[in-house]
Short mmCIF file of all heavy atoms in Angstrom, two decimals:
data_model
loop_
_atom_site.label_atom_id
_atom_site.label_comp_id
_atom_site.label_asym_id
_atom_site.label_seq_id
_atom_site.Cartn_x
_atom_site.Cartn_y
_atom_site.Cartn_z
N LEU J 17 -1.89 5.29 7.51
CA LEU J 17 -1.18 6.25 8.35
C LEU J 17 0.32 6.24 8.08
O LEU J 17 1.02 7.21 8.38
CB LEU J 17 -1.44 5.95 9.84
CG LEU J 17 -2.84 6.28 10.35
CD1 LEU J 17 -3.06 5.65 11.72
CD2 LEU J 17 -3.05 7.78 10.41
N GLU J 18 0.82 5.13 7.55
CA GLU J 18 2.23 4.99 7.18
C GLU J 18 2.31 4.43 5.77
O GLU J 18 1.42 3.69 5.33
CB GLU J 18 2.96 4.04 8.15
CG GLU J 18 3.03 4.50 9.58
CD GLU J 18 4.25 5.36 9.88
OE1 GLU J 18 4.95 5.73 8.91
OE2 GLU J 18 4.49 5.64 11.05
N LYS J 19 3.40 4.75 5.08
CA LYS J 19 3.63 4.18 3.76
C LYS J 19 4.72 3.11 3.87
O LYS J 19 5.76 3.35 4.51
CB LYS J 19 4.06 5.26 2.77
CG LYS J 19 2.96 6.23 2.42
CD LYS J 19 3.42 7.22 1.35
CE LYS J 19 2.28 8.16 0.98
NZ LYS J 19 2.69 9.14 -0.06
N PRO J 20 4.51 1.93 3.29
CA PRO J 20 5.55 0.91 3.35
C PRO J 20 6.77 1.31 2.53
O PRO J 20 6.64 2.01 1.52
CB PRO J 20 4.85 -0.32 2.76
CG PRO J 20 3.80 0.24 1.86
CD PRO J 20 3.34 1.51 2.50
N THR J 21 7.94 0.86 2.98
CA THR J 21 9.16 1.10 2.21
C THR J 21 9.14 0.26 0.94
O THR J 21 9.58 0.70 -0.13
CB THR J 21 10.40 0.77 3.06
OG1 THR J 21 10.34 1.52 4.28
CG2 THR J 21 11.68 1.10 2.32
N SER J 22 8.61 -0.95 1.07
CA SER J 22 8.47 -1.83 -0.09
C SER J 22 7.35 -2.83 0.19
O SER J 22 6.89 -2.97 1.32
CB SER J 22 9.78 -2.56 -0.39
OG SER J 22 10.16 -3.38 0.70
N GLY J 23 6.93 -3.53 -0.87
CA GLY J 23 5.89 -4.54 -0.72
C GLY J 23 4.57 -4.10 -1.34
O GLY J 23 4.43 -2.97 -1.82
N GLN J 24 3.60 -4.99 -1.31
CA GLN J 24 2.31 -4.74 -1.94
C GLN J 24 1.16 -4.96 -0.96
O GLN J 24 1.23 -5.83 -0.09
CB GLN J 24 2.10 -5.70 -3.12
CG GLN J 24 3.03 -5.52 -4.30
CD GLN J 24 2.76 -6.58 -5.35
OE1 GLN J 24 2.98 -7.78 -5.11
NE2 GLN J 24 2.25 -6.18 -6.51
N ILE J 25 0.10 -4.18 -1.16
CA ILE J 25 -1.17 -4.40 -0.46
C ILE J 25 -2.22 -4.72 -1.52
O ILE J 25 -2.41 -3.95 -2.47
CB ILE J 25 -1.60 -3.17 0.35
CG1 ILE J 25 -0.53 -2.77 1.37
CG2 ILE J 25 -2.93 -3.43 1.07
CD1 ILE J 25 -0.84 -1.47 2.10
N LEU J 26 -2.87 -5.86 -1.36
CA LEU J 26 -3.93 -6.25 -2.29
C LEU J 26 -5.26 -6.27 -1.55
O LEU J 26 -5.38 -6.84 -0.47
CB LEU J 26 -3.65 -7.65 -2.86
CG LEU J 26 -2.32 -7.83 -3.60
CD1 LEU J 26 -2.15 -9.28 -4.01
CD2 LEU J 26 -2.24 -6.92 -4.81
N TYR J 27 -6.27 -5.59 -2.13
CA TYR J 27 -7.61 -5.58 -1.54
C TYR J 27 -8.59 -6.07 -2.59
O TYR J 27 -8.69 -5.50 -3.68
CB TYR J 27 -7.99 -4.17 -1.07
CG TYR J 27 -9.33 -4.12 -0.37
CD1 TYR J 27 -9.43 -4.44 0.99
CD2 TYR J 27 -10.49 -3.80 -1.06
CE1 TYR J 27 -10.65 -4.42 1.64
CE2 TYR J 27 -11.72 -3.78 -0.42
CZ TYR J 27 -11.79 -4.10 0.92
OH TYR J 27 -13.01 -4.09 1.56
N ASP J 28 -9.28 -7.14 -2.24
CA ASP J 28 -10.27 -7.73 -3.15
C ASP J 28 -9.65 -8.03 -4.52
O ASP J 28 -10.27 -7.84 -5.56
CB ASP J 28 -11.45 -6.78 -3.30
CG ASP J 28 -12.77 -7.53 -3.58
OD1 ASP J 28 -12.78 -8.77 -3.41
OD2 ASP J 28 -13.74 -6.89 -3.98
N GLY J 29 -8.39 -8.49 -4.47
CA GLY J 29 -7.72 -8.92 -5.70
C GLY J 29 -6.96 -7.86 -6.44
O GLY J 29 -6.26 -8.16 -7.41
N LYS J 30 -7.05 -6.60 -6.01
CA LYS J 30 -6.39 -5.53 -6.74
C LYS J 30 -5.36 -4.83 -5.84
O LYS J 30 -5.60 -4.62 -4.66
CB LYS J 30 -7.42 -4.50 -7.22
CG LYS J 30 -8.44 -5.08 -8.19
CD LYS J 30 -9.49 -4.04 -8.54
CE LYS J 30 -10.57 -4.63 -9.45
NZ LYS J 30 -11.64 -3.64 -9.77
N GLU J 31 -4.22 -4.47 -6.43
CA GLU J 31 -3.20 -3.75 -5.67
C GLU J 31 -3.69 -2.34 -5.36
O GLU J 31 -4.25 -1.66 -6.22
CB GLU J 31 -1.88 -3.69 -6.44
CG GLU J 31 -0.76 -3.04 -5.63
CD GLU J 31 0.60 -3.13 -6.31
OE1 GLU J 31 0.71 -3.75 -7.38
OE2 GLU J 31 1.56 -2.57 -5.73
N VAL J 32 -3.48 -1.91 -4.12
CA VAL J 32 -3.91 -0.57 -3.70
C VAL J 32 -2.76 0.15 -3.01
O VAL J 32 -1.85 -0.48 -2.45
CB VAL J 32 -5.12 -0.65 -2.75
CG1 VAL J 32 -6.36 -1.14 -3.47
CG2 VAL J 32 -4.82 -1.53 -1.53
N THR J 33 -2.81 1.47 -3.04
CA THR J 33 -1.88 2.31 -2.28
C THR J 33 -2.70 3.36 -1.55
O THR J 33 -3.75 3.80 -2.04
CB THR J 33 -0.85 3.00 -3.19
OG1 THR J 33 -1.54 3.78 -4.17
CG2 THR J 33 0.05 1.98 -3.88
N PHE J 34 -2.22 3.76 -0.37
CA PHE J 34 -2.96 4.71 0.45
C PHE J 34 -2.10 5.94 0.72
O PHE J 34 -0.99 5.83 1.25
CB PHE J 34 -3.35 4.08 1.80
CG PHE J 34 -4.15 2.81 1.66
CD1 PHE J 34 -3.83 1.69 2.43
CD2 PHE J 34 -5.21 2.72 0.77
CE1 PHE J 34 -4.56 0.51 2.32
CE2 PHE J 34 -5.95 1.55 0.65
CZ PHE J 34 -5.62 0.45 1.42
N ALA J 35 -2.64 7.10 0.38
CA ALA J 35 -1.96 8.36 0.71
C ALA J 35 -2.33 8.81 2.12
O ALA J 35 -1.59 9.54 2.77
CB ALA J 35 -2.32 9.44 -0.30
N SER J 36 -3.51 8.36 2.60
CA SER J 36 -3.99 8.74 3.93
C SER J 36 -5.09 7.76 4.34
O SER J 36 -5.55 6.96 3.51
CB SER J 36 -4.55 10.15 3.92
OG SER J 36 -5.83 10.18 3.30
N PRO J 37 -5.55 7.82 5.60
CA PRO J 37 -6.66 6.95 6.02
C PRO J 37 -7.94 7.15 5.20
O PRO J 37 -8.75 6.23 5.10
CB PRO J 37 -6.87 7.35 7.48
CG PRO J 37 -5.54 7.81 7.95
CD PRO J 37 -4.95 8.51 6.76
N LEU J 38 -8.10 8.32 4.62
CA LEU J 38 -9.29 8.54 3.79
C LEU J 38 -9.34 7.57 2.63
O LEU J 38 -10.42 7.11 2.22
CB LEU J 38 -9.29 9.99 3.26
CG LEU J 38 -9.52 11.10 4.29
CD1 LEU J 38 -9.41 12.46 3.64
CD2 LEU J 38 -10.87 10.94 4.98
N ASP J 39 -8.16 7.21 2.08
CA ASP J 39 -8.10 6.26 0.97
C ASP J 39 -8.48 4.86 1.43
O ASP J 39 -9.19 4.13 0.72
CB ASP J 39 -6.69 6.24 0.36
CG ASP J 39 -6.34 7.54 -0.33
OD1 ASP J 39 -7.27 8.27 -0.71
OD2 ASP J 39 -5.14 7.84 -0.48
N SER J 40 -7.99 4.46 2.61
CA SER J 40 -8.30 3.11 3.11
C SER J 40 -9.79 3.01 3.47
O SER J 40 -10.45 1.99 3.19
CB SER J 40 -7.43 2.76 4.32
OG SER J 40 -7.67 3.63 5.40
N ILE J 41 -10.33 4.06 4.08
CA ILE J 41 -11.76 4.06 4.42
C ILE J 41 -12.61 3.99 3.16
O ILE J 41 -13.64 3.30 3.11
CB ILE J 41 -12.11 5.31 5.26
CG1 ILE J 41 -11.46 5.22 6.66
CG2 ILE J 41 -13.62 5.47 5.40
CD1 ILE J 41 -11.54 6.50 7.46
N ALA J 42 -12.16 4.68 2.13
CA ALA J 42 -12.93 4.74 0.89
C ALA J 42 -13.12 3.38 0.24
O ALA J 42 -14.14 3.12 -0.40
CB ALA J 42 -12.24 5.69 -0.09
N ILE J 43 -12.14 2.47 0.42
CA ILE J 43 -12.28 1.14 -0.21
C ILE J 43 -12.85 0.10 0.75
O ILE J 43 -13.15 -1.02 0.34
CB ILE J 43 -10.94 0.63 -0.79
CG1 ILE J 43 -9.95 0.29 0.32
CG2 ILE J 43 -10.35 1.62 -1.78
CD1 ILE J 43 -8.77 -0.51 -0.16
N GLY J 44 -13.00 0.47 2.06
CA GLY J 44 -13.65 -0.45 2.98
C GLY J 44 -12.83 -0.93 4.15
O GLY J 44 -13.15 -1.93 4.78
N ILE J 45 -11.74 -0.23 4.50
CA ILE J 45 -10.91 -0.60 5.66
C ILE J 45 -11.05 0.49 6.72
O ILE J 45 -10.80 1.67 6.44
CB ILE J 45 -9.43 -0.76 5.27
CG1 ILE J 45 -9.26 -1.85 4.21
CG2 ILE J 45 -8.59 -1.09 6.50
CD1 ILE J 45 -7.85 -1.97 3.66
N GLY J 46 -11.43 0.11 7.93
CA GLY J 46 -11.58 1.07 9.02
C GLY J 46 -10.85 0.60 10.26
O GLY J 46 -10.56 -0.58 10.41
N MET J 47 -10.54 1.54 11.15
CA MET J 47 -9.78 1.20 12.35
C MET J 47 -10.37 1.88 13.58
O MET J 47 -10.66 3.08 13.56
CB MET J 47 -8.31 1.61 12.19
CG MET J 47 -7.41 1.22 13.35
SD MET J 47 -5.67 1.48 12.93
CE MET J 47 -4.88 0.92 14.46
#
């Protein structure tokens, strides 16, 4: 829902970026 100003998000060992919640849901993160 927000984009970080800086920093990294790693999921299952790989760096990921999210343009929207659809991207996070697609890899396995839900809220």
Side-chain angles (χ1 to χ4, degrees):
L17 288 167
E18 297 271 9
K19 291 184 178 180
T21 305
S22 62
Q24 294 177 294
I25 302 174
L26 302 176
Y27 184 83
D28 210 13
K30 298 176 183 178
E31 184 173 357
V32 292
T33 57
F34 304 134
S36 76
L38 291 176
D39 293 337
S40 63
I41 291 170
I43 69 166
I45 300 173
M47 184 170 181

